[in-house]
Short mmCIF file of all heavy atoms in Angstrom, two decimals:
data_model
loop_
_atom_site.label_atom_id
_atom_site.label_comp_id
_atom_site.label_asym_id
_atom_site.label_seq_id
_atom_site.Cartn_x
_atom_site.Cartn_y
_atom_site.Cartn_z
N PHE L 1 -3.75 22.64 -20.71
CA PHE L 1 -2.37 22.96 -20.39
C PHE L 1 -1.65 21.66 -20.10
O PHE L 1 -2.17 20.79 -19.39
CB PHE L 1 -2.30 23.88 -19.16
CG PHE L 1 -0.90 24.19 -18.71
CD1 PHE L 1 -0.21 25.26 -19.26
CD2 PHE L 1 -0.27 23.42 -17.74
CE1 PHE L 1 1.09 25.55 -18.86
CE2 PHE L 1 1.02 23.70 -17.33
CZ PHE L 1 1.70 24.77 -17.89
N SER L 2 -0.43 21.50 -20.62
CA SER L 2 0.31 20.27 -20.38
C SER L 2 1.79 20.58 -20.23
O SER L 2 2.28 21.62 -20.69
CB SER L 2 0.12 19.27 -21.53
OG SER L 2 0.65 19.78 -22.73
N ALA L 3 2.50 19.67 -19.57
CA ALA L 3 3.94 19.80 -19.39
C ALA L 3 4.54 18.41 -19.27
O ALA L 3 4.00 17.55 -18.57
CB ALA L 3 4.27 20.63 -18.16
N VAL L 4 5.66 18.20 -19.97
CA VAL L 4 6.34 16.90 -19.96
C VAL L 4 7.83 17.15 -19.81
O VAL L 4 8.40 17.99 -20.52
CB VAL L 4 6.07 16.12 -21.26
CG1 VAL L 4 6.81 14.78 -21.23
CG2 VAL L 4 4.58 15.89 -21.47
N GLY L 5 8.48 16.42 -18.89
CA GLY L 5 9.92 16.59 -18.74
C GLY L 5 10.46 15.92 -17.50
O GLY L 5 9.93 14.90 -17.06
N GLN L 6 11.52 16.52 -16.93
CA GLN L 6 12.21 15.96 -15.77
C GLN L 6 12.42 17.01 -14.70
O GLN L 6 12.55 18.20 -14.99
CB GLN L 6 13.58 15.39 -16.15
CG GLN L 6 13.58 14.05 -16.82
CD GLN L 6 14.97 13.44 -16.90
OE1 GLN L 6 15.98 14.14 -16.86
NE2 GLN L 6 15.04 12.12 -16.99
N VAL L 7 12.45 16.55 -13.45
CA VAL L 7 12.82 17.39 -12.32
C VAL L 7 13.79 16.60 -11.45
O VAL L 7 13.67 15.38 -11.30
CB VAL L 7 11.57 17.81 -11.51
CG1 VAL L 7 10.79 16.61 -11.03
CG2 VAL L 7 11.96 18.69 -10.32
N SER L 8 14.79 17.30 -10.88
CA SER L 8 15.79 16.64 -10.06
C SER L 8 16.18 17.55 -8.90
O SER L 8 16.23 18.78 -9.05
CB SER L 8 17.04 16.31 -10.88
OG SER L 8 18.09 15.85 -10.05
N ASP L 9 16.43 16.94 -7.73
CA ASP L 9 16.95 17.70 -6.61
C ASP L 9 18.46 17.51 -6.48
O ASP L 9 19.05 17.90 -5.48
CB ASP L 9 16.25 17.29 -5.31
CG ASP L 9 16.43 15.81 -4.98
OD1 ASP L 9 17.08 15.10 -5.77
OD2 ASP L 9 15.92 15.38 -3.93
N GLY L 10 19.07 16.91 -7.48
CA GLY L 10 20.50 16.63 -7.44
C GLY L 10 20.81 15.22 -7.02
O GLY L 10 21.94 14.75 -7.18
N VAL L 11 19.79 14.52 -6.50
CA VAL L 11 19.95 13.12 -6.08
C VAL L 11 18.95 12.24 -6.82
O VAL L 11 19.32 11.28 -7.49
CB VAL L 11 19.77 12.96 -4.56
CG1 VAL L 11 19.87 11.49 -4.16
CG2 VAL L 11 20.80 13.80 -3.81
N THR L 12 17.69 12.58 -6.68
CA THR L 12 16.61 11.81 -7.32
C THR L 12 16.14 12.52 -8.57
O THR L 12 15.92 13.74 -8.56
CB THR L 12 15.42 11.65 -6.35
OG1 THR L 12 15.87 10.99 -5.16
CG2 THR L 12 14.32 10.82 -6.99
N VAL L 13 16.00 11.78 -9.66
CA VAL L 13 15.51 12.31 -10.93
C VAL L 13 14.14 11.71 -11.20
O VAL L 13 13.94 10.50 -11.09
CB VAL L 13 16.46 11.99 -12.09
CG1 VAL L 13 15.92 12.57 -13.40
CG2 VAL L 13 17.86 12.55 -11.80
N VAL L 14 13.18 12.57 -11.55
CA VAL L 14 11.81 12.14 -11.79
C VAL L 14 11.36 12.59 -13.16
O VAL L 14 11.52 13.76 -13.53
CB VAL L 14 10.87 12.72 -10.72
CG1 VAL L 14 9.41 12.51 -11.11
CG2 VAL L 14 11.14 12.08 -9.36
N ASP L 15 10.84 11.66 -13.96
CA ASP L 15 10.15 12.00 -15.20
C ASP L 15 8.71 12.34 -14.88
O ASP L 15 8.07 11.65 -14.07
CB ASP L 15 10.17 10.83 -16.19
CG ASP L 15 11.55 10.53 -16.73
OD1 ASP L 15 12.34 11.49 -16.88
OD2 ASP L 15 11.85 9.35 -16.99
N PHE L 16 8.16 13.39 -15.50
CA PHE L 16 6.77 13.71 -15.23
C PHE L 16 6.01 14.06 -16.50
O PHE L 16 6.57 14.48 -17.51
CB PHE L 16 6.65 14.86 -14.21
CG PHE L 16 7.15 16.20 -14.70
CD1 PHE L 16 6.35 17.03 -15.47
CD2 PHE L 16 8.43 16.63 -14.38
CE1 PHE L 16 6.80 18.26 -15.90
CE2 PHE L 16 8.89 17.86 -14.82
CZ PHE L 16 8.08 18.68 -15.58
N ASP L 17 4.70 13.88 -16.41
CA ASP L 17 3.78 14.17 -17.52
C ASP L 17 2.48 14.62 -16.87
O ASP L 17 1.84 13.85 -16.15
CB ASP L 17 3.56 12.91 -18.36
CG ASP L 17 2.76 13.19 -19.63
OD1 ASP L 17 2.08 14.23 -19.69
OD2 ASP L 17 2.81 12.35 -20.55
N LEU L 18 2.10 15.87 -17.10
CA LEU L 18 0.89 16.37 -16.46
C LEU L 18 0.01 17.08 -17.47
O LEU L 18 0.48 17.57 -18.51
CB LEU L 18 1.23 17.32 -15.31
CG LEU L 18 1.81 18.70 -15.62
CD1 LEU L 18 0.70 19.74 -15.85
CD2 LEU L 18 2.70 19.17 -14.50
N SER L 19 -1.26 17.15 -17.15
CA SER L 19 -2.20 17.92 -17.95
C SER L 19 -3.28 18.50 -17.05
O SER L 19 -3.70 17.87 -16.07
CB SER L 19 -2.84 17.06 -19.05
OG SER L 19 -3.70 16.10 -18.50
N HIS L 20 -3.68 19.72 -17.36
CA HIS L 20 -4.80 20.38 -16.70
C HIS L 20 -5.80 20.75 -17.79
O HIS L 20 -5.43 21.44 -18.75
CB HIS L 20 -4.37 21.67 -15.99
CG HIS L 20 -3.37 21.45 -14.90
ND1 HIS L 20 -2.68 22.49 -14.31
CD2 HIS L 20 -2.93 20.34 -14.28
CE1 HIS L 20 -1.88 22.02 -13.38
NE2 HIS L 20 -2.01 20.71 -13.35
N THR L 21 -7.03 20.32 -17.69
CA THR L 21 -8.05 20.69 -18.67
C THR L 21 -9.21 21.34 -17.96
O THR L 21 -9.57 20.95 -16.84
CB THR L 21 -8.54 19.47 -19.47
OG1 THR L 21 -9.19 18.55 -18.58
CG2 THR L 21 -7.39 18.77 -20.16
N TRP L 22 -9.79 22.33 -18.61
CA TRP L 22 -10.97 23.01 -18.08
C TRP L 22 -12.00 23.14 -19.17
O TRP L 22 -11.68 23.47 -20.31
CB TRP L 22 -10.60 24.39 -17.55
CG TRP L 22 -11.79 25.15 -17.04
CD1 TRP L 22 -12.38 25.05 -15.83
CD2 TRP L 22 -12.56 26.12 -17.77
NE1 TRP L 22 -13.45 25.89 -15.73
CE2 TRP L 22 -13.59 26.56 -16.91
CE3 TRP L 22 -12.48 26.64 -19.05
CZ2 TRP L 22 -14.53 27.52 -17.29
CZ3 TRP L 22 -13.42 27.59 -19.45
CH2 TRP L 22 -14.42 28.03 -18.57
N SER L 23 -13.23 22.85 -18.84
CA SER L 23 -14.33 22.95 -19.79
C SER L 23 -15.55 23.49 -19.07
O SER L 23 -15.83 23.09 -17.93
CB SER L 23 -14.65 21.58 -20.40
OG SER L 23 -15.90 21.60 -21.07
N GLU L 24 -16.28 24.38 -19.72
CA GLU L 24 -17.50 24.90 -19.13
C GLU L 24 -18.52 23.79 -18.89
O GLU L 24 -19.34 23.88 -17.98
CB GLU L 24 -18.10 25.97 -20.03
CG GLU L 24 -17.27 27.24 -20.15
CD GLU L 24 -17.89 28.24 -21.10
OE1 GLU L 24 -18.92 27.90 -21.72
OE2 GLU L 24 -17.36 29.36 -21.23
N VAL L 25 -18.45 22.75 -19.70
CA VAL L 25 -19.41 21.65 -19.59
C VAL L 25 -18.92 20.57 -18.65
O VAL L 25 -19.65 20.10 -17.78
CB VAL L 25 -19.70 21.06 -20.98
CG1 VAL L 25 -20.63 19.84 -20.86
CG2 VAL L 25 -20.31 22.11 -21.90
N ASP L 26 -17.64 20.17 -18.81
CA ASP L 26 -17.14 19.00 -18.09
C ASP L 26 -16.40 19.32 -16.80
O ASP L 26 -16.07 18.42 -16.03
CB ASP L 26 -16.19 18.21 -19.01
CG ASP L 26 -16.90 17.72 -20.26
OD1 ASP L 26 -18.09 17.37 -20.15
OD2 ASP L 26 -16.27 17.69 -21.32
N GLY L 27 -16.13 20.59 -16.52
CA GLY L 27 -15.42 20.94 -15.31
C GLY L 27 -13.91 20.78 -15.46
O GLY L 27 -13.35 21.05 -16.53
N PHE L 28 -13.24 20.31 -14.41
CA PHE L 28 -11.79 20.21 -14.39
C PHE L 28 -11.33 18.76 -14.35
O PHE L 28 -11.95 17.93 -13.71
CB PHE L 28 -11.21 20.91 -13.15
CG PHE L 28 -11.49 22.37 -13.08
CD1 PHE L 28 -12.65 22.83 -12.49
CD2 PHE L 28 -10.58 23.28 -13.58
CE1 PHE L 28 -12.91 24.18 -12.42
CE2 PHE L 28 -10.84 24.63 -13.51
CZ PHE L 28 -12.02 25.09 -12.93
N THR L 29 -10.23 18.53 -15.02
CA THR L 29 -9.53 17.26 -14.86
C THR L 29 -8.05 17.58 -14.74
O THR L 29 -7.47 18.25 -15.60
CB THR L 29 -9.75 16.32 -16.06
OG1 THR L 29 -11.15 16.03 -16.18
CG2 THR L 29 -8.99 15.02 -15.86
N LEU L 30 -7.43 17.12 -13.67
CA LEU L 30 -6.02 17.32 -13.44
C LEU L 30 -5.37 15.95 -13.34
O LEU L 30 -5.79 15.11 -12.54
CB LEU L 30 -5.75 18.10 -12.15
CG LEU L 30 -6.31 19.52 -12.05
CD1 LEU L 30 -7.76 19.51 -11.58
CD2 LEU L 30 -5.48 20.34 -11.06
N THR L 31 -4.36 15.69 -14.15
CA THR L 31 -3.65 14.42 -14.09
C THR L 31 -2.16 14.68 -13.92
O THR L 31 -1.60 15.59 -14.53
CB THR L 31 -3.88 13.57 -15.35
OG1 THR L 31 -3.36 14.26 -16.50
CG2 THR L 31 -5.36 13.29 -15.56
N TYR L 32 -1.53 13.88 -13.06
CA TYR L 32 -0.11 13.97 -12.80
C TYR L 32 0.47 12.56 -12.83
O TYR L 32 -0.01 11.69 -12.09
CB TYR L 32 0.17 14.58 -11.42
CG TYR L 32 -0.46 15.92 -11.18
CD1 TYR L 32 -1.79 16.03 -10.76
CD2 TYR L 32 0.27 17.09 -11.35
CE1 TYR L 32 -2.37 17.27 -10.54
CE2 TYR L 32 -0.29 18.33 -11.13
CZ TYR L 32 -1.62 18.42 -10.72
OH TYR L 32 -2.20 19.64 -10.50
N GLY L 33 1.45 12.35 -13.65
CA GLY L 33 2.14 11.07 -13.69
C GLY L 33 3.61 11.28 -13.50
O GLY L 33 4.23 12.08 -14.22
N ILE L 34 4.23 10.61 -12.51
CA ILE L 34 5.66 10.74 -12.31
C ILE L 34 6.29 9.37 -12.12
O ILE L 34 5.68 8.46 -11.57
CB ILE L 34 6.00 11.66 -11.12
CG1 ILE L 34 5.65 11.01 -9.79
CG2 ILE L 34 5.28 12.99 -11.23
CD1 ILE L 34 6.08 11.85 -8.60
N ASP L 35 7.51 9.23 -12.63
CA ASP L 35 8.28 7.99 -12.52
C ASP L 35 9.66 8.34 -12.00
O ASP L 35 10.34 9.22 -12.55
CB ASP L 35 8.42 7.31 -13.88
CG ASP L 35 7.08 6.85 -14.44
OD1 ASP L 35 6.68 5.74 -14.10
OD2 ASP L 35 6.45 7.61 -15.21
N VAL L 36 10.09 7.66 -10.94
CA VAL L 36 11.42 7.87 -10.40
C VAL L 36 12.42 7.11 -11.26
O VAL L 36 12.36 5.88 -11.37
CB VAL L 36 11.50 7.40 -8.94
CG1 VAL L 36 12.91 7.64 -8.39
CG2 VAL L 36 10.47 8.12 -8.08
N VAL L 37 13.34 7.82 -11.90
CA VAL L 37 14.29 7.23 -12.82
C VAL L 37 15.19 6.24 -12.09
O VAL L 37 15.68 6.50 -10.99
CB VAL L 37 15.14 8.33 -13.49
CG1 VAL L 37 16.23 7.71 -14.37
CG2 VAL L 37 14.25 9.24 -14.33
N GLY L 38 15.37 5.06 -12.70
CA GLY L 38 16.24 4.04 -12.13
C GLY L 38 15.57 3.15 -11.13
O GLY L 38 16.23 2.29 -10.52
N THR L 39 14.26 3.33 -10.91
CA THR L 39 13.51 2.48 -9.99
C THR L 39 12.18 2.10 -10.65
O THR L 39 11.87 2.55 -11.76
CB THR L 39 13.20 3.20 -8.66
OG1 THR L 39 12.15 4.15 -8.87
CG2 THR L 39 14.44 3.92 -8.14
N ASP L 40 11.39 1.29 -9.96
CA ASP L 40 10.05 0.97 -10.46
C ASP L 40 8.98 1.78 -9.73
O ASP L 40 7.80 1.48 -9.81
CB ASP L 40 9.75 -0.53 -10.34
CG ASP L 40 9.59 -0.99 -8.89
OD1 ASP L 40 9.97 -0.23 -7.99
OD2 ASP L 40 9.08 -2.11 -8.69
N THR L 41 9.40 2.83 -9.02
CA THR L 41 8.46 3.65 -8.27
C THR L 41 7.78 4.67 -9.19
O THR L 41 8.45 5.37 -9.96
CB THR L 41 9.18 4.40 -7.13
OG1 THR L 41 9.74 3.46 -6.22
CG2 THR L 41 8.22 5.31 -6.39
N TYR L 42 6.46 4.75 -9.07
CA TYR L 42 5.72 5.73 -9.85
C TYR L 42 4.50 6.20 -9.07
O TYR L 42 4.01 5.52 -8.15
CB TYR L 42 5.28 5.16 -11.20
CG TYR L 42 4.22 4.08 -11.11
CD1 TYR L 42 2.86 4.40 -11.10
CD2 TYR L 42 4.58 2.74 -11.03
CE1 TYR L 42 1.89 3.41 -11.01
CE2 TYR L 42 3.61 1.74 -10.95
CZ TYR L 42 2.27 2.09 -10.94
OH TYR L 42 1.31 1.11 -10.85
N LEU L 43 4.01 7.38 -9.42
CA LEU L 43 2.78 7.92 -8.86
C LEU L 43 1.88 8.36 -10.00
O LEU L 43 2.34 9.03 -10.94
CB LEU L 43 3.04 9.14 -7.96
CG LEU L 43 3.96 9.01 -6.75
CD1 LEU L 43 4.03 10.35 -6.03
CD2 LEU L 43 3.47 7.94 -5.81
#
């Protein structure tokens, strides 16, 4: 499962890119990447 786009509270705008993967063999991997638009802040 994946999702790519933007979220905003009306003040701060964040670009995000996430993925959730599940496998009977490998288990779970959850990744979340976000960048605050107009700054160098990221998670």
Side-chain angles (χ1 to χ4, degrees):
F1 176 87
S2 64
V4 179
Q6 282 192 336
V7 57
S8 171
D9 60 359
V11 177
T12 302
V13 180
V14 169
D15 291 327
F16 66 84
D17 188 341
L18 71 88
S19 68
H20 298 168
T21 63
W22 178 82
S23 166
E24 293 178 356
V25 176
D26 299 324
F28 298 88
T29 299
L30 299 85
T31 63
Y32 305 83
I34 71 175
D35 295 273
V36 180
V37 175
T39 75
D40 69 346
T41 298
Y42 69 88
L43 302 181

